Amino acid sequence: MIVCVAVVGHQNNPLYIQSFTEADDALKLHHIVHCSLDVVDERVNNPKKSGPTLNETFLGLLYPTENYKVYGYLTNTKVKFIIVATDLDVRDADVRNVDIALLRCNNASCLSPFFRRFHAAYVDAVSNPFHVPGKKITSTTFAERVSTIVKSFGLSSAG
Amino acid sequence: MEEYPEEWRTPPVSLVSLVGWSEHHHLISTHLLSHQPPINTLALPDLSKLLLLLPKSNKPPLDSPPQQGGILKRDWLIKHRTRIPSVVAPLFSSDQVSGDPTQWLQVCSDLDNLKAVIRPRNIKFLVVIIVKDGDDINEDRFIALRKRAELDAKYILTFNPNDASQLRHSLNRHATPLPFFYLFIFYFKDEGKRIKTRVEKKSINSIDFNIRHCFKAAVYAEFRRDWAEALRLYEDAYHILREMIGTSTRLPPIQRLVEIKTVAEQLHFKISNLLLHGGKVKEAVTWFRQHNNSYRKLVGAPEVVFLHWEWMSRQFLVFGELLETSSVSIQNISSLVSGATDRPLTEWELHPSYYYQLAANYLKEKRSSLELALSMSETSNEIDTSAESVVPSLYVGQFAQLLEQGDSATMKPLTDEEYTDYAIAEGKRFQDSFEIIALLKKSCESYGNLKARRMGSFCAFQMATEYFAVGDFSNAKQLFDGVASQYRQEGWFTLLWEVLGYLRECSKKQGAVRDFVEYSLEMAALPVSSGTDAKPFRFKECSPAGPPSFSQREVIHKEVFGLVSREAGSTSVEDDTHIKITGDTPLHLEIDHVSPLRVVLLASVAFHEQIVKPGVSTLITVSLLSQLPHTVEIDQLEVQFNQSECNFVIMNAQKPSLAAMTDGEQGHQVESAPLVLVTNKWLRLTYGVKSGMSAVLFCFTCKSMIFSINMI
């Protein structure tokens, strides 16, 4: 399940952060997103280490924390999309070794389309003539669209 | 890792026992110890001591299950290192061997006795003959000795103690101490086989037994340096152990889980160590991940949950230390990272800092669980007295009560209640905060080396909150300041809000008025609002300043203006703090080009004309912008130029009493205007100034007096 999505500008400034969790850990998610920028930097600045993912916009799994997994996506304008997902499904599947399909779903094959939809929503939001480039995205339409994408991802991964 | 006994942490060292001719023992011992791999020696003056050391086995028959429960005996490893030799080397002089029949008979009798003692235990032996310069052993006697000892010629070594240069050669008849190693390998191979047969027969359907024997076989394999076999056997033992959870009923539930976890920890340590030293970093990390996944949910009984978190923390710490010490070639991270399929490894999982950070997090969990357990235990005073007599028992991961009756002492098994009391009493002895700080510091330094600034900042932030919690505000403030500048630089205002909340509290506790006002103003002006997020922040662990929201900004605004406004005079923010501003000691804040307070107040002075002529009046516009949540009223604004005669003061027209007070004080031009700054709205004031002698005129300061902020 996706618990947080973020758009981070090319100066590493947050442009949009939305969390989807009932627990009181919104601030913790901010920290996680911020820390994940180090991994993005590492992957972008050290192309040799980052291997085959270099030329792709989807950066893959950035790093795992205790309860979450962080995935990244880099647009060609160096804007980063970060999502934080709970690791519960993956861990259960891994331990019990029963649901490999679910396990893979949180992986590249499933997240890449998600990021593409998210990217499309972002492009629409920043194409608004009233949006100031580099400033926070305050559009409610964008927020609603992101919510829909996140919810639909939750449904598809659960199904 | 240091808390593990040495025999666990280091590779096994074989033990050889030297018997007789004590004067040569030191020389031989030193020589054997200096070899790679080293050999420990147990020096015995004569054969009778060996008899004492190896009494007739009083073990129960192999086919009967052990009576007292337990998986691994605590001293089993150390026993094979220091007490039970795998090879015995009796020393005879060449005179004894080649001498008269009486001496020869004595040699034969000693050999027979030795064989009788060591055979039941399958201990191997070789014979060392001490020769002097020019000595030559009778060939017939040599053959007779070989036959008597039933040894191959290569296991009869000669040693000349007088010739140091020859020492190595004489001991190493085969260039290296191979005879010793051959025998060690035979011994451990035999022992391993014996154990393996027993396990394969499965005559005893006891999980304990199977784990123990897999473990022993693994240690024997390690002794003979068969790392692959050792690894396989340790893994077998680990997997069997995992099956034991939920099936074993030997001990009360809490103690049972503690024992299983302790054994799992030791097996896991061995496995990780072997994998890492074999250069298999990826496998080690994957193994650790599985280990973590298998056990992290085995929290156990609610009253001892803290034991689980402590255990988890130790797993991460030890694995981090192992990664750090083994420091195998992790340079080629890309191959490690990209090689994985379903669950790829990430860069950070290969660095110790990641593990230290999580170890600290788990230790925090432990601390809060322990606090809860302590608050729930009403008999905390009684605990300490009964817990004192609890000691580690015979088996790994078990504890018992030591009862002394006169000279004798007996071990009494504990009930789960007694064990819980003991665990809580032990837990109280440690200051977890310092341990957490130490772990985070390690992690922070390690992230620093990796140039992962943000992760380092997060660790520093966590360290600072720990310092804050223990009341060390000076260290906390220093760390928070560093973190705040990182967040400020990148515009992460929600995170900055949290840090500033702590900083504000630190300065309040330290009585630092200026800092308190600065942090408060910055917070009040921070563009945070709950509107940016899907829902308002309502996190439990928000900073002392509360969740970032407009209403909270307003609260802070009112508080700080209440403190500094003249009307308030000498007020304190709270009665228990030393924050005070009086009219005698006004507070001066400077907002320069790099000040974080630029977010609070901005001032700019614009000249209407491009050229300023001496003696001719020119117009300037002073613009002020406040981003504070409420309207701010300024008492007086002083604009200073490089030519002091041009300076002028604007008084707040709405406060005539103030205007009268300072009117014409220093002969400066005095103007009057409504100095009211509405949030996010520029206040523009235009005035004429006349330059004196010079055409070079520039404004360098705008001084606004509410509480005297200088804007340059």
Side-chain angles (χ1 to χ4, degrees):
Chain A
M1 194 182 82
I2 292 173
V3 290
C4 181
V5 292
V7 181
V8 181
H10 65 273
Q11 300 288 336
N12 287 322
N13 51 319
L15 299 178
Y16 181 82
I17 295 191
Q18 190 167 1
S19 53
F20 303 90
T21 166
E22 290 305 311
D24 294 345
D25 50 6
L27 196 56
K28 191 177 175 185
L29 293 169
H30 277 243
H31 278 296
I32 290 174
V33 172
H34 184 248
C35 286
S36 70
L37 298 177
D38 274 335
V39 193
V40 177
D41 278 358
E42 166 86 9
R43 296 222 177 143
V44 174
N45 298 334
N46 298 292
K48 279 181 192 166
K49 281 188 184 176
S50 55
T53 59
L54 172 69
N55 295 324
E56 295 172 14
T57 45
F58 179 54
L59 297 170
L61 176 68
L62 299 179
Y63 79 109
T65 68
E66 297 140 282
N67 303 315
Y68 305 111
K69 290 187 155 220
V70 190
Y71 297 87
Y73 181 96
L74 183 72
T75 70
N76 46 9
T77 52
K78 307 288 175 222
V79 171
K80 293 130 201 157
F81 300 152
I82 310 285
I83 70 156
V84 185
T86 47
D87 194 25
L88 295 167
D89 299 338
V90 178
R91 222 174 20 191
D92 281 349
D94 193 34
V95 172
R96 296 185 200 143
N97 202 16
V98 287
D99 196 344
I100 298 300
L102 187 61
L103 179 101
R104 289 205 176 109
C105 194
N106 261 4
N107 234 319
S109 59
C110 210
L111 280 170
S112 203
F114 168 84
F115 273 120
R116 277 201 291 275
R117 290 179 68 192
F118 190 62
H119 194 173
Y122 167 76
V123 169
D124 288 349
V126 296
S127 303
N128 182 338
F130 296 104
H131 172 77
V132 183
K135 294 284 174 193
K136 289 200 169 186
I137 304 169
T138 49
S139 154
T140 48
T141 317
F142 177 70
E144 281 163 16
R145 212 168 142 187
V146 169
S147 291
T148 314
I149 299 172
V150 168
K151 278 175 196 155
S152 66
F153 174 79
L155 288 174
S156 67
S157 68
Chain B
M1 198 156 71
E2 282 78 24
E3 59 192 69
Y4 291 157
E6 197 199 341
E7 63 270 18
W8 272 103
R9 284 186 277 125
T10 51
V13 183
S14 308
L15 183 67
V16 60
S17 175
L18 302 174
V19 183
W21 293 90
S22 306
E23 60 268 38
H24 301 305
H25 287 182
H26 177 69
L27 206 58
I28 300 175
S29 305
T30 319
H31 175 74
L32 290 176
L33 200 60
S34 66
H35 262 281
Q36 205 51 255
I39 301 170
N40 273 346
T41 45
L42 182 68
L44 300 171
D46 55 58
L47 204 58
S48 61
K49 299 289 183 294
L50 187 68
L51 293 172
L52 289 174
L53 195 74
L54 303 173
K56 290 240 165 153
S57 177
N58 55 358
K59 283 183 178 176
L62 292 175
D63 293 340
S64 71
Q67 287 165 354
Q68 170 60 37
I71 303 171
L72 302 179
K73 278 198 175 170
R74 211 177 276 276
D75 67 343
W76 189 82
L77 265 181
I78 193 87
K79 185 176 83 178
H80 279 275
R81 265 192 187 211
T82 57
R83 290 212 308 277
I84 307 290
S86 33
V87 173
V88 176
L91 271 61
F92 297 107
S93 74
S94 58
D95 294 344
Q96 280 177 294
V97 177
S98 315
D100 60 45
T102 332
Q103 281 178 312
W104 169 243
L105 279 177
Q106 184 59 43
V107 170
C108 293
S109 140
D110 283 354
L111 280 175
D112 290 345
N113 286 340
L114 177 72
K115 282 195 289 184
V117 174
I118 63 174
R119 281 256 163 89
R121 287 182 169 268
N122 200 25
I123 295 172
K124 312 294 176 198
F125 82 104
L126 49 70
V127 174
V128 178
I129 301 171
I130 301 159
V131 293
K132 291 184 205 124
D133 296 331
D135 268 3
D136 199 15
I137 303 166
N138 181 325
E139 192 61 29
D140 291 344
R141 279 286 168 85
F142 188 81
I143 293 165
L145 179 73
R146 206 159 60 77
K147 280 187 177 166
R148 193 83 194 185
E150 297 171 74
L151 286 175
D152 200 87
K154 66 182 174 193
Y155 298 123
I156 297 179
L157 312 180
T158 55
F159 164 59
N160 185 351
N162 296 330
D163 189 349
S165 64
Q166 290 290 313
L167 179 67
R168 179 175 288 270
H169 180 70
S170 58
L171 258 183
N172 307 341
R173 222 168 104 160
H174 295 267
T176 59
L178 272 180
F180 285 100
F181 287 116
Y182 283 145
L183 291 175
F184 286 137
I185 286 170
F186 289 150
Y187 172 78
F188 291 115
K189 220 174 216 171
D190 287 354
E191 286 294 290
K193 262 187 206 160
R194 199 164 57 91
I195 296 270
K196 203 174 167 188
T197 329
R198 228 184 290 169
V199 174
E200 278 168 1
K201 268 192 200 162
K202 290 196 174 162
S203 52
I204 303 164
N205 193 17
S206 150
I207 297 183
D208 287 358
F209 173 86
N210 287 337
I211 297 167
R212 183 163 51 247
H213 284 79
C214 279
F215 168 76
K216 285 185 178 180
V219 174
Y220 292 142
E222 253 198 292
F223 265 115
R224 55 176 199 269
R225 318 216 138 221
D226 185 350
W227 310 120
E229 177 77 353
L231 187 63
R232 193 182 61 75
L233 287 161
Y234 280 129
E235 285 181 0
D236 283 352
Y238 182 91
H239 292 307
I240 304 170
L241 181 74
R242 188 68 183 76
E243 287 170 19
M244 206 174 160
I245 300 162
T247 57
S248 168
T249 51
R250 185 167 28 78
L251 288 167
I254 291 179
Q255 292 179 70
R256 192 190 313 150
L257 192 58
V258 167
E259 184 191 20
I260 290 173
K261 279 190 191 163
T262 314
V263 175
E265 177 179 357
Q266 299 205 343
L267 291 173
H268 161 69
F269 176 78
K270 280 284 184 191
I271 293 165
S272 306
N273 213 352
L274 284 172
L275 284 171
L276 285 172
H277 282 96
K280 296 176 181 169
V281 186
K282 197 170 102 185
E283 287 82 353
V285 172
T286 312
W287 174 267
F288 178 78
R289 210 187 248 179
Q290 284 171 4
H291 174 60
N292 180 22
N293 284 342
S294 307
Y295 281 90
R296 68 186 288 181
K297 283 185 180 169
L298 283 174
V299 177
E303 57 269 37
V304 285
V305 173
F306 68 91
L307 287 179
H308 174 70
W309 299 126
E310 188 181 22
W311 184 88
M312 285 295 290
S313 167
R314 205 164 49 240
Q315 305 312 297
F316 278 87
L317 165 66
V318 168
F319 192 73
E321 285 176 337
L322 275 180
L323 266 183
E324 193 169 3
T325 50
S326 66
S327 63
V328 270
S329 49
I330 313 183
Q331 294 89 356
N332 196 5
I333 286 176
S334 60
S335 66
L336 293 170
V337 173
S338 58
T341 51
D342 275 341
R343 301 210 57 195
L345 296 179
T346 53
E347 295 90 331
W348 306 110
E349 282 177 280
L350 303 168
H351 294 298
S353 43
Y354 171 76
Y355 298 92
Y356 294 144
Q357 191 182 4
L358 288 179
N361 287 356
Y362 281 117
L363 206 55
K364 278 190 198 170
E365 287 274 4
K366 179 238 163 171
R367 184 180 55 190
S368 52
S369 309
L370 181 63
E371 278 165 9
L372 192 68
L374 277 170
S375 66
M376 282 164 69
S377 94
E378 291 163 2
T379 54
S380 53
N381 289 334
E382 292 167 28
I383 289 170
D384 296 346
T385 50
S386 64
E388 277 171 13
S389 58
V390 176
V391 289
S393 81
L394 197 62
Y395 289 92
V396 171
Q398 286 189 17
F399 294 85
Q401 196 162 12
L402 191 69
L403 297 175
E404 286 180 26
Q405 291 166 327
D407 291 339
S408 65
T410 51
M411 300 276 240
K412 178 182 152 278
L414 296 173
T415 63
D416 263 356
E417 287 72 30
E418 286 168 335
Y419 177 74
T420 306
D421 290 348
Y422 161 73
I424 292 176
E426 278 293 292
K428 274 200 316 192
R429 288 173 47 216
F430 297 99
Q431 283 274 347
D432 289 323
S433 286
F434 296 112
E435 185 65 26
I436 293 168
I437 290 170
L439 284 169
L440 288 168
K441 197 171 188 178
K442 273 170 104 168
S443 183
C444 187
E445 282 166 4
S446 185
Y447 278 132
N449 295 337
L450 297 170
K451 297 193 169 55
R453 287 178 298 129
R454 298 174 191 91
M455 297 222 183
S457 284
F458 185 47
C459 286
F461 169 73
Q462 288 177 303
M463 270 165 76
T465 52
E466 284 302 317
Y467 277 124
F468 182 83
V470 295
D472 184 348
F473 300 114
S474 160
N475 272 322
K477 190 170 175 294
Q478 197 183 348
L479 286 164
F480 278 132
D481 269 327
V483 177
S485 83
Q486 168 80 43
Y487 292 153
R488 217 176 261 136
Q489 198 185 332
E490 291 183 339
W492 286 74
F493 296 124
T494 311
L495 299 179
L496 179 59
W497 169 277
E498 191 191 14
V499 178
L500 288 174
Y502 278 108
L503 278 169
R504 191 168 167 270
E505 205 60 23
C506 284
S507 50
K508 193 193 276 184
K509 300 275 185 202
Q510 289 180 314
V513 189
R514 184 197 177 86
D515 289 344
F516 178 80
V517 171
E518 281 187 350
Y519 296 134
S520 300
L521 283 172
E522 192 181 355
M523 283 184 89
L526 269 191
V528 289
S529 70
S530 43
T532 54
D533 206 284
K535 53 184 176 296
F537 284 91
R538 51 185 181 85
F539 28 83
K540 279 180 284 183
E541 292 186 13
C542 51
S543 75
S549 62
F550 185 77
S551 58
Q552 203 60 32
R553 282 173 56 197
E554 285 180 309
V555 170
I556 292 173
H557 176 110
K558 280 178 190 160
E559 192 181 23
V560 72
F561 275 77
L563 175 73
V564 300
S565 63
R566 288 197 174 174
E567 288 84 9
S570 56
T571 359
S572 62
V573 172
E574 279 174 24
D575 291 341
D576 59 341
T577 60
H578 310 290
I579 298 281
K580 228 176 244 185
I581 300 173
T582 61
D584 303 333
T585 54
L587 183 67
H588 294 272
L589 302 182
E590 284 204 3
I591 306 176
D592 57 17
H593 294 292
V594 291
S595 168
L597 293 181
R598 285 180 77 79
V599 74
V600 180
L601 275 175
L602 270 181
S604 92
V605 175
F607 287 82
H608 287 219
E609 308 292 332
Q610 283 190 349
I611 299 163
V612 178
K613 291 175 185 161
V616 179
S617 178
T618 183
L619 288 176
I620 61 155
T621 297
V622 180
S623 311
L624 291 171
L625 178 74
S626 150
Q627 296 189 66
L628 292 164
H630 284 294
T631 301
V632 179
E633 212 171 316
I634 295 174
D635 294 343
Q636 173 187 321
L637 181 72
E638 190 180 335
V639 184
Q640 293 180 341
F641 295 88
N642 59 331
Q643 297 177 27
S644 61
E645 61 273 18
C646 296
N647 292 355
F648 66 92
V649 179
I650 309 165
M651 304 306 297
N652 191 344
Q654 291 170 352
K655 292 190 177 178
S657 58
L658 282 167
M661 221 167 69
T662 49
D663 192 17
E665 236 177 29
Q666 294 165 332
H668 292 161
Q669 182 185 347
V670 177
E671 304 285 349
S672 175
L675 292 175
V676 178
L677 298 179
V678 180
T679 308
N680 271 335
K681 205 170 173 188
W682 284 98
L683 171 72
R684 293 198 171 85
L685 303 163
T686 303
Y687 297 102
V689 287
K690 196 184 277 182
S691 172
M693 301 301 289
S694 168
V696 183
L697 180 68
F698 55 88
C699 170
F700 62 90
T701 313
C702 284
K703 238 185 210 178
S704 60
M705 291 276 295
I706 353 170
F707 35 92
S708 188
I709 296 180
N710 290 355
M711 286 177 288
I712 299 165

